[in-house]
Amino acid sequence: MKQALFNESATGRNKFRYLLPALAVTGAFGLLISFTSQPATVAEQDTETDSLQILNVSVPEPVVRDFDAIKQEGVIRMITRFNSSSYFLHRGEERGFEFEFARRFAEQHNLRLEVVIAGNNEEPIDLLNAGRGDFIAANYSITQARQQYIAFSSPYNIVEQVLVLREGEPVPYSLSELEGAVISVRRGSSYFKTLKQLQRDYGYGFEINVLPEMWDTEAIMFAIADGEFDMTIADANLFQAASNYISGITTGPVVSGNEQIAWGVRANAPELTDQMDRFIAGHFSISDADLMPRRSSFMNVLRQRYFDNRPATYTVRSYNSHRVTGYEGLFSPYDRLVQPLAEEYGVDWKLVLAVMAQESRFDPYAKSRMGAIGLMQIIPRFSPYEEHELWDPEINIREGLRYLRKHLDHYSYMDEDSRLAFALATYNAGMGHMADARRLTVDRNRDPNNWDDVAQSLLLLMQPRFFSQARFGFVRGTEPVNYVTEIKRRYNMYQNMALFASEDPILQRRDSLSFIP
């Protein structure tokens, strides 16, 4: 692909923004106003800082963590929002345009992608600069206000911002018809800046209803459909995705063009930014011939999957989500079945789901090459139940809980984090292999109660000179080590998402989520 045209950003950092021609259209969608991407003058920047400084940033200085440190750790962390386009769970599996695009970047660099969900009252820039994540990926527009604190990758999408209103209401031809209208947006969104600039530059008489940060764009569109708000602003691609499963909303005039979507990066991480720019260049560019976007086949697949005619059931917030098992919930098809059973055994239900996701991907008919069966992958010869009984989801979950409880109790003298790691590893590898690994850890003059030391011994037990001396012989040590890492990651994610759901203005309305603590 040909490289797009670049120019330096308004902050003077070596960041790039695509140059697109200014556009003006009239007709069914009314007036399109395009803001130039040329660097602002000092006076212009001062004016915007005075009137449009809208970010509540408390961590302006970034920690030092560039691509070399990320590669050394083997993990890159994506800061995002929990919604139906950026990141969500579908039958327990992680989904979302931003998630899949970022995962492709991580895979190309042999990195594990971890997701950090910005809470309702958390500023993503603070999470980034504090080092809790490495980049922001949330349909994030490049704005001058944000560029005061962070850098940006090359854009990977160009979008228009459109007025969204309730279906059946009179659709204005242009913004000049909105005298006295109330438009609801978050203060921290790029839409607030757009509306303030329109009022300043054109004197439009609409009112801005500033909402708390918990109201993301998707939640506001749901509320408009319900009659709670009258209007909002949304990126056209987000409206297109939402309109597949939110009935009762429509679009009015285009209010801004040339909005560039990119990944937010710490300003002192030029190597990471450079790697991202190289990756994005392979998937998105602007044609020299007609100045139109050109996208890779992978990018087009993602756009089709998440924005173009997506089935209504493929969303996290659909009011009428398809009930496959009768136990559907926020995380999986078995939330409501697991909850009372987990409480009975004194185990966090979200931990049980994290184990289930790793063991069977929520497939009740899963069977491993070792003969483990069902949701929790129980081996029949070690269970008092007959094999045909273990195919029953409730019985299978009960057996899995019995083993989990047993292992957690066995390591009850450890601190909570170590106890969890050892219990999970034992669930995966068995008591015998774990005993071998701990004995080897002692022989190596390491701590048998330290998970990192024992994990290293599990890896050593893949080598003949070590497993030949072990009571239970060879163990595929990478499996329990990766098993613990993945389940703990997913468990933490479920905990964060449960907390988010308890505060989310849309998810609160769903009776199916009334169990969220």
Side-chain angles (χ1 to χ4, degrees), residues 4-6 44 54 113 155 173 192 200 271 311 379 408 445 487:
L5 300 175
F6 297 117
E44 288 170 338
I54 58 176
L113 178 67
Y173 180 78
F192 180 82
R200 184 189 66 189
E271 186 182 355
I379 298 178
L408 287 167
N445 293 317
I487 290 181

Side-chain angles (χ1 to χ4, degrees), residues 305-325:
R305 182 175 299 162
Y306 293 106
F307 298 118
D308 300 335
N309 302 316
R310 182 176 64 182
T313 56
Y314 202 56
T315 174
V316 69
R317 284 187 169 116
S318 174
Y319 287 123
N320 300 307
S321 58
H322 181 48
R323 304 289 179 186
V324 177
T325 66

Side-chain angles (χ1 to χ4, degrees), residues 411-420 422 438 448-450:
Y411 299 107
S412 61
Y413 55 89
M414 297 182 178
D415 65 79
E416 202 61 35
D417 191 60
S418 298
R419 180 190 187 192
L420 178 59
F422 276 86
R438 298 183 76 190
N449 295 329
N450 180 282

